[in-house]
C-alpha cells in the first residue's frame, strides 16, 4: 500500500458531529442494545461504463439452461447405454480399448488448453500483490450494473433521502473524505462515486459496478461513532477497488463450467434418476460449502484489511473497527439469533472478524502515523467496550441474584404462615 500525507479532520468534524448532524440516535459503546442485528453487507465491483461483451452476459442469462442441457445430455447417454444390446456394448468397449491413447491424447489436450486458459487470465492486484482470476473484464459489468441500478432505484424510490437531508450530508462528507485521502490508491480516482441514502432500518451498505453507493440509514444506528462508520464505508470502497465482484464472478463461472462436466457425468453414471438427483444435490452443496463460501469469506477478510488501511489514511481511529463487530456479536446474542458455524456463511463470523482486525490494527496505526495524523486521544475503545461489558455483566448478575432472593422469600412466606396456623380438632 502506498502511503501519503493526509490532514486530519477538523475538531468540528468529530463523532459528535455525526450524531448531531445526522439527527439519529447513535448508540454509544455503553448502550449496544440499541443496535440492530447486522445483515449481510453486499458489495460489488465498481467500474466505468463500457459496451458490454455479449458472451459473458449470455453465459449468465443461460445459466439455468446450461444445467438443464447437461442433465439432458447425461441422462441421454445413460438411456442410450442401457438400450444397447450386450454385443454392441462389447464392441463399444473394445473400440475404447483400441483407441485409448487417442482418447488420452484428446483429454490431455483439453486439460492443457484449460490450464493455459486459466493461467492467461490471472492478474496481480496492484494494491495487495495477490494473484487473482479475472475471466470477466470491467466492460462486462456495465449493462448488468445499469439494470441492477435501475432495479434498486425502483425498489427504494419512496425511501430515498434528498441530497439536502442532514443524514445524507453526514454520510456524504465521511465517504468523500475517505476518497480524498486515498486518491493515490489505484482505481479510486477512476470511479465516478455517487451516494444514495436509503431510509431503512437495515444495517447495510453496498456499491454497484457503475459507482453508485447505497447506504441505509440503519447503518447510522448500528455504529457508535464516525470512526466505525468510516471503517464500514472503507470496507465497501475496498471491495470496489480490489475488483472483488469481477473476481468472484470469474471463480463462479469457472466452477460452474467444471460443475456442468460433473453434472453430465452424474446423470450418465447413476442408474436411476433419483440417485442422479441426490448426486446433483451433493455436488452443488460441495461446490458451495467447499469452494464458493470459503472464497467469499476470504474476499471479505481482504476487504476488512484494505478498508482498515483506507480508514487509517483518513486519520480515523481504526481501533473502533473491532468494537463495531463486537457490538454486532452482542446484538445477535441479545436478540436470540442462533450462532451458526462460520462455514455456513458467506461472511466471517463476528468473533473471527474481531480477532482478524485486532491483528491488523498495529499496522493500520503505523499507516495512520505515517500520514501525519494527530495522535489519538482518549482510551482505547476496545478497552472501554470490554470494561463496559464487564460492568453490565456484573449488574446483570446482581439483578439475577436479587430476583432469586426475592423469589425465595415469596415462596417461603406461605410455609411460615402455615407454621403459625393453630392446629384444631373438630369435636
Amino acid at each position: 500500500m502506498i502511503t501519503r500525507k493526509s490532514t486530519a479532520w477538523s475538531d468540528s468534524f468529530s463523532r459528535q458531529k455525526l450524531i448531531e448532524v445526522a439527527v439519529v440516535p447513535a448508540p454509544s459503546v455503553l448502550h449496544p442494545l440499541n443496535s440492530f442485528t447486522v445483515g449481510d453487507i453486499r458489495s460489488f465491483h465498481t467500474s466505468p461504463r463500457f459496451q458490454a461483451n455479449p458472451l459473458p452476459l449470455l453465459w449468465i442469462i443461460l445459466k439455468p439452461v446450461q444445467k438443464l442441457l447437461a442433465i439432458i445430455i447425461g441422462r441421454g447417454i445413460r438411456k442410450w447405454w442401457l438400450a444397447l444390446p450386450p454385443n454392441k456394448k462389447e464392441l463399444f468397449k473394445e473400440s475404447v480399448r483400441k483407441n485409448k491413447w487417442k482418447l488420452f491424447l484428446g483429454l490431455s489436450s483439453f486439460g492443457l488448453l484449460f490450464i493455459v486458459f486459466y493461467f492467461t487470465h490471472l492478474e496481480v492486484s496492484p494494491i495487495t500483490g495477490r494473484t487473482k482470476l479475472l475471466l470477466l473484464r470491467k466492460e462486462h459489468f456495465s449493462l448488468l450494473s445499469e439494470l441492477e441500478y435501475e432495479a434498486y432505484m425502483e425498489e427504494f424510490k419512496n425511501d430515498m433521502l434528498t441530497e439536502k437531508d442532514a443524514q445524507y450530508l453526514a454520510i456524504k462528507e465521511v465517504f468523500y473524505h475517505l476518497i480524498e485521502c486515498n486518491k493515490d490508491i489505484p482505481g479510486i480516482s477512476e470511479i465516478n462515486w455517487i451516494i444514495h441514502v436509503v431510509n431503512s432500518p437495515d444495517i447495510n451498505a453496498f456499491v454497484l459496478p457503475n459507482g453508485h453507493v447505497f447506504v441505509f440509514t440503519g447503518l447510522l444506528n448500528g455504529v457508535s461513532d464516525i470512526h466505525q462508520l468510516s471503517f464500514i464505508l472503507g470496507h465497501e470502497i475496498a471491495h470496489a477497488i480490489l475488483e472483488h465482484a469481477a473476481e468472484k464472478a470469474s471463480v463462479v463461472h469457472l466452477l460452474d463450467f467444471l460443475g456442468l462436466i460433473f453434472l453430465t457425468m452424474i446423470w450418465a453414471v447413476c442408474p436411476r434418476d433419483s440417485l442422479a438427483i441426490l448426486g446433483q444435490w451433493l455436488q452443488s452443496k460441495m461446490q458451495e460449502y467447499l469452494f464458493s463460501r470459503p472464497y467469499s469469506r476470504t474476499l471479505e477478510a481482504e476487504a476488512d484489511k484494505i478498508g482498515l488501511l483506507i480508514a487509517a489514511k483518513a486519520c480515523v481511529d481504526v481501533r473502533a473497527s473491532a468494537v463495531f463487530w463486537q457490538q454486532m456479536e452482542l446484538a445477535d446474542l441479545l436478540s436470540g439469533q442462533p450462532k451458526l458455524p462460520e462455514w455456513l456463511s458467506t461472511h466471517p463470523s463476528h468473533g473471527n472478524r474481531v480477532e482478524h482486525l485486532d491483528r491488523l490494527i498495529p499496522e493500520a496505526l503505523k499507516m495512520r502515523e505515517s500520514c501525519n495524523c494527530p495522535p489519538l486521544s482518549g482510551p482505547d475503545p476496545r478497552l472501554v467496550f470490554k470494561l463496559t461489558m464487564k460492568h453490565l455483566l456484573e449488574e446483570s448478575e446482581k439483578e439475577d441474584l436479587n430476583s432469586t432472593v426475592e423469589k425465595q422469600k415469596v415462596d417461603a412466606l406461605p410455609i411460615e404462615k402455615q407454621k403459625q396456623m393453630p392446629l384444631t380438632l373438630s369435636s
Side-chain angles (χ1 to χ4, degrees):
M1 180 71 108
I2 304 172
T3 60
R4 68 182 291 274
K5 292 186 178 181
S6 166
T7 57
W9 277 310
S10 62
D11 293 336
S12 61
F13 196 61
S14 61
R15 61 177 66 183
Q16 287 299 323
K17 179 175 180 181
L18 178 64
I19 298 173
E20 294 170 2
V21 174
V23 198
V24 292
S28 67
V29 176
L30 300 178
H31 299 87
L33 306 182
N34 296 331
S35 299
F36 293 99
T37 55
V38 69
D40 284 348
I41 298 178
R42 296 169 290 179
S43 53
F44 302 89
H45 166 65
T46 56
S47 62
R49 302 179 181 182
F50 293 97
Q51 182 63 37
N53 190 321
L55 292 179
L57 297 179
L58 287 175
W59 180 273
I60 295 171
I61 295 170
L62 299 178
K63 194 173 180 180
V65 179
Q66 295 166 6
K67 288 188 176 182
L68 180 60
L69 183 61
I71 292 172
I72 293 173
I73 293 174
R75 194 171 185 272
I77 292 173
R78 189 215 316 163
K79 294 292 184 181
W80 167 78
W81 177 256
L82 293 176
L84 279 179
N87 61 327
K88 289 190 176 181
K89 287 182 180 179
E90 290 299 324
L91 289 174
F92 182 81
K93 292 177 182 179
E94 183 64 26
S95 177
V96 170
R97 283 192 290 267
K98 287 182 179 179
N99 297 283
K100 60 182 179 180
W101 290 112
K102 292 181 180 179
L103 292 173
F104 176 77
L105 181 61
L107 292 175
S108 300
S109 301
F110 176 78
L112 181 61
L113 288 174
F114 178 81
I115 292 173
V116 171
F117 176 82
Y118 177 82
F119 281 98
T120 53
H121 285 81
L122 293 179
E123 292 188 9
V124 178
S125 171
I127 300 173
T128 63
R130 180 176 61 86
T131 302
K132 56 187 179 182
L133 178 68
L134 283 180
L135 302 179
L136 306 177
R137 303 301 174 181
K138 293 180 179 180
E139 57 269 20
H140 300 155
F141 286 87
S142 178
L143 179 58
L144 290 176
S145 63
E146 285 297 327
L147 294 174
E148 196 168 20
Y149 165 69
E150 292 174 4
Y152 280 123
M153 292 299 291
E154 179 64 24
E155 179 182 354
F156 303 134
K157 64 181 180 180
N158 296 325
D159 300 317
M160 287 289 183
L161 299 185
T162 64
E163 295 184 2
K164 295 182 179 180
D165 188 272
Q167 295 179 79
Y168 176 92
L169 294 174
I171 294 173
K172 180 181 178 181
E173 188 166 1
V174 174
F175 186 87
Y176 282 111
H177 177 77
L178 293 170
I179 298 298
E180 184 65 28
C181 295
N182 289 274
K183 282 187 173 181
D184 59 307
I185 298 179
I188 281 189
S189 298
E190 288 78 11
I191 297 173
N192 181 28
W193 305 97
I194 301 175
I195 305 292
H196 304 278
V197 180
V198 183
N199 186 22
S200 169
D202 295 335
I203 301 179
N204 201 3
F206 58 92
V207 185
L208 294 181
N210 55 7
H212 290 268
V213 184
F214 288 80
V215 181
F216 293 71
T217 54
L219 185 61
L220 294 177
N221 291 330
V223 298
S224 296
D225 51 45
I226 201 170
H227 304 288
Q228 291 184 6
L229 177 62
S230 299
F231 164 70
I232 295 300
L233 295 178
H235 172 93
E236 295 303 324
I237 293 172
H239 273 307
I241 62 177
L242 292 172
E243 299 183 314
H244 279 170
E247 180 180 355
K248 191 172 182 179
S250 299
V251 172
V252 167
H253 288 334
L254 181 65
L255 292 176
D256 284 344
F257 174 73
L258 296 176
L260 290 175
I261 298 175
F262 284 106
L263 185 60
T264 305
M265 293 173 60
I266 288 171
W267 278 88
V269 172
C270 290
R272 294 193 300 273
D273 288 349
S274 57
L275 292 177
I277 292 173
L278 178 61
Q280 179 183 345
W281 182 82
L282 290 173
Q283 182 256 340
S284 65
K285 293 304 175 184
M286 288 179 63
Q287 177 179 322
E288 181 179 1
Y289 290 107
L290 295 181
F291 297 99
S292 299
R293 295 201 178 194
Y295 200 83
S296 178
R297 292 194 295 269
T298 299
L299 297 183
E300 289 295 326
E302 186 177 66
D304 277 347
K305 178 180 180 180
I306 302 304
L308 193 68
L309 296 180
I310 288 173
K313 293 177 69 176
C315 298
V316 171
D317 186 351
V318 292
R319 301 172 300 179
S321 59
V323 178
F324 172 78
W325 292 112
Q326 287 177 314
Q327 292 172 187
M328 295 298 100
E329 187 174 32
L330 179 64
D332 285 351
L333 179 65
L334 295 176
S335 65
Q337 288 194 6
K339 189 174 182 180
L340 298 176
E342 186 182 74
W343 61 271
L344 290 174
S345 176
T346 57
H347 287 60
S349 66
H350 299 333
N352 285 343
R353 278 188 129 149
V354 172
E355 294 178 3
H356 182 230
L357 289 168
D358 280 337
R359 292 193 298 268
L360 296 173
I361 283 173
E363 179 187 354
L365 290 174
K366 291 180 181 178
M367 171 74 73
R368 188 181 185 279
E369 184 180 357
S370 69
C371 293
N372 294 335
C373 295
L376 292 171
S377 60
D380 191 328
R382 294 172 293 178
L383 178 61
V384 173
F385 183 85
K386 183 178 180 180
L387 294 175
T388 302
M389 291 301 99
K390 183 179 179 182
H391 174 71
L392 289 176
L393 184 60
E394 291 174 352
E395 290 295 322
S396 176
E397 289 176 350
K398 287 180 181 179
E399 290 180 3
D400 291 342
L401 181 61
N402 292 336
S403 63
T404 303
V405 171
E406 290 296 328
K407 186 177 184 299
Q408 289 175 347
K409 288 181 179 179
V410 172
D411 293 341
L413 186 59
I415 299 175
E416 292 295 328
K417 286 184 178 180
Q418 195 174 36
K419 289 180 179 178
Q420 295 172 6
M421 290 175 63
L423 182 62
T424 59
L425 295 173
S426 59
S427 55

